[in-house]
Amino acid sequence: MENTSMTALVSAFARAYHAAHKETKIFDDPLARQLLSDEESHAIAQNMADGIAFFSPGFCGTQAEALRRIMDCHLSPTPLGRAAFAERALHTAVRCGARQYLILGAGFDTFAYRQPDWAQPLEIFELDQPAMSADKRRRLECADLPVPDNVHFLSADLSDSDWTAALTGHPAFDRRRITLCSALGLVYYLQKSAFAQLLSALAGILPQGSGIVFDYPDRGRDGVQTALAGGAGEPMQASYSYPELEALLAEHGFLIYEHLTPQEITAQYFADYNRANPEHPMSAQSGVNYCLAVRR
């Protein structure tokens, strides 16, 4: 795990745990578990359950009950909700003419390997740092998960000013085609200047009608999530108020098309699950919002 992002591992574990343990799904990712080794899954589950006192002081119960409490109340809501939001946005974008999907900081995202029929017109680009991209490909091979012909790996660091060269230089990429970008679990770890540079770079290479979908922390972000990120060696860098985010996007030619607060996320994406599990309802993480912005 030397070159592996701990937040990427935990996000994949959360999706895998939900897929394996929940009959009614907020988001179903049957492939996430295949990207994790047994050792990694066991270690994450053990560490989370052992840390129940941090999450829920005074908790009494078994290890399995402790893990369920942590996953349902603290770790699962964000990776599940944002993935559901992004893939719904992608489906809508494809119906409206999008033909490229750019996954920024792809991590262990599995959309490309379980893509539905409606995704067939897409060229899918997974962009991540070289070490992370290599690790992902190794895990896919170990899991015997074939890489579809419309999937392309790009190795680049978003902190480099010329990262777009990896995309624009790829023979499958067409700057004229409407593109949806996803940046899930990414904006947290970018300083504001870096996020502004990212938006500027995307505006410079994508045509009108292209969009970006992302989650971001607001000024009331959850202290537990912040502490977890810092403990994983990947501290959060910035947070935004809605007016601040709206102004930043507009400055770089993007208009907010859809924006969801935690209450709205819970109502739209968690309702079916909560009706099926009234004794253990789940709600979106406080202080985390979802946004879909479209280039003018």
Side-chain angles (χ1 to χ4, degrees), residues 119-138:
Q120 297 309 305
L122 288 169
E123 295 293 336
I124 302 172
F125 302 88
E126 292 197 1
L127 187 146
D128 215 323
Q129 297 184 23
M132 188 69 187
S133 183
D135 185 32
K136 170 78 165 287
R137 300 186 73 168
R138 178 187 63 79

Side-chain angles (χ1 to χ4, degrees), residues 80 115 121 201:
L80 295 176
Q115 51 184 297

Side-chain angles (χ1 to χ4, degrees), residues 78-233:
T78 294
L80 295 176
R82 71 190 180 199
F85 178 73
E87 293 192 14
R88 180 185 290 183
L90 179 61
H91 191 187
T92 299
V94 170
R95 292 201 304 265
C96 294
R99 291 297 177 264
Q100 297 180 144
Y101 183 36
L102 172 60
I103 308 174
L104 298 171
F108 298 142
D109 188 289
T110 65
F111 174 79
Y113 316 100
R114 51 178 172 77
Q115 51 184 297
D117 290 342
W118 54 259
Q120 297 309 305
L122 288 169
E123 295 293 336
I124 302 172
F125 302 88
E126 292 197 1
L127 187 146
D128 215 323
Q129 297 184 23
M132 188 69 187
S133 183
D135 185 32
K136 170 78 165 287
R137 300 186 73 168
R138 178 187 63 79
R139 290 169 186 265
L140 290 168
E141 184 175 354
C142 289
D144 199 24
L145 291 174
V147 178
D149 291 339
N150 65 335
V151 177
H152 315 284
F153 296 96
L154 304 174
S155 295
D157 191 326
L158 291 174
S159 64
D160 293 338
S161 59
D162 62 346
W163 71 265
T164 56
L167 178 63
T168 58
H170 196 285
F173 180 74
D174 189 338
R175 296 179 64 151
R176 299 167 297 180
R177 289 184 175 180
I178 293 176
T179 303
L180 183 71
C181 307
S182 67
L184 305 183
L186 180 63
V187 176
Y188 306 75
Y189 307 107
L190 297 177
Q191 294 183 355
K192 292 185 177 182
S193 59
F195 186 35
Q197 291 171 3
L198 174 62
L199 293 172
S200 178
L202 292 174
I205 61 174
L206 300 180
Q208 292 181 346
S210 296
I212 178 171
V213 59
F214 60 95
D215 55 327
Y216 76 95
D218 64 26
R219 298 294 174 79
R221 60 185 172 181
D222 192 318
V224 170
Q225 294 296 104
T226 302
L228 283 172

Side-chain angles (χ1 to χ4, degrees), residues 6 17-18 28 33 41-43 49 62 69 109 115 126 136 151 155 164 181 189 204 212 231 236 246 272 286 295:
M6 183 55 66
Y17 180 90
H18 190 74
D28 191 13
R33 177 63 182 83
S41 293
H42 177 75
T62 66
R69 171 75 67 86
D109 188 289
Q115 51 184 297
E126 292 197 1
K136 170 78 165 287
V151 177
S155 295
T164 56
C181 307
Y189 307 107
I212 178 171
M236 295 184 181
E246 184 178 40
D272 289 345
S286 64
R295 187 174 180 276

